[in-house]
Amino acid sequence: MSDLPTALIRLRLGAEDAHYGGNLVAGARQLEIVGDLITELAMRYDGDEGLFRAYESVEFLAPVYAGDWIEAKARITKAGNSSRTCEFEVWKIGGARGDISDSAAEFLDEPILTCRATGTTVVPKEHQRFPH
């Protein structure tokens, strides 16, 4: 369905995101970004933030580190009366190159899929402001 919205967030993971040794970022940080995406989708589709109901699946496929640039994408794949099923992907698109210098960085020739998830948000009928 082409009338269902998409959302995109692009950001750099900072030192404050590192949780483990070697500046590894916890998977929970990616899920926090997914939460922001599902909120944006509900706002675009219903004019309401909705409530994230559940993850149907979450896969962490590659690590991310402080200094990495990521791009997170989401789309609604199915809209029920009050539920919206969404798909998410987080891609590493660039990062620091400490092996070259303290300030070296570059974008990847081929992005790396780091997280894939599906989840459902619910927007009660009385909160939906847009006709569908």
Side-chain angles (χ1 to χ4, degrees):
M1 298 171 84
S2 62
D3 60 331
L4 297 176
T6 62
L8 172 78
I9 295 174
R10 181 180 286 172
L11 61 93
R12 180 175 190 231
L13 298 170
E16 69 279 3
D17 296 311
H19 186 73
Y20 297 107
N23 287 322
L24 181 64
V25 174
R29 178 65 175 115
Q30 293 182 76
L31 294 182
E32 181 181 7
I33 295 163
V34 164
D36 288 341
L37 287 168
I38 204 164
T39 299
E40 179 178 340
L41 290 174
M43 289 170 63
R44 289 185 182 282
Y45 193 70
D46 292 298
D48 189 87
E49 290 186 356
L51 297 170
F52 203 150
R53 174 78 170 116
Y55 284 105
E56 281 78 47
S57 68
V58 175
E59 297 175 87
F60 296 107
L61 304 167
V64 291
Y65 300 91
D68 284 349
W69 281 89
I70 62 171
E71 184 174 272
K73 303 174 182 182
R75 66 188 182 101
I76 294 177
T77 58
K78 181 181 173 188
N81 287 329
S82 62
S83 65
R84 285 80 179 95
T85 303
C86 306
E87 292 180 348
F88 311 93
E89 293 180 342
V90 180
W91 293 83
K92 177 179 174 177
I93 59 171
R97 288 293 311 270
D99 58 318
I100 297 173
S101 76
D102 289 342
S103 59
E106 64 189 22
F107 286 98
L108 302 174
D109 291 332
E110 299 221 9
I112 299 167
L113 182 62
T114 64
C115 179
R116 180 176 34 225
T118 58
T120 300
T121 191
V122 174
V123 180
K125 276 290 207 189
E126 63 273 15
H127 293 210
Q128 296 173 22
R129 297 188 304 119
F130 306 144
H132 302 295

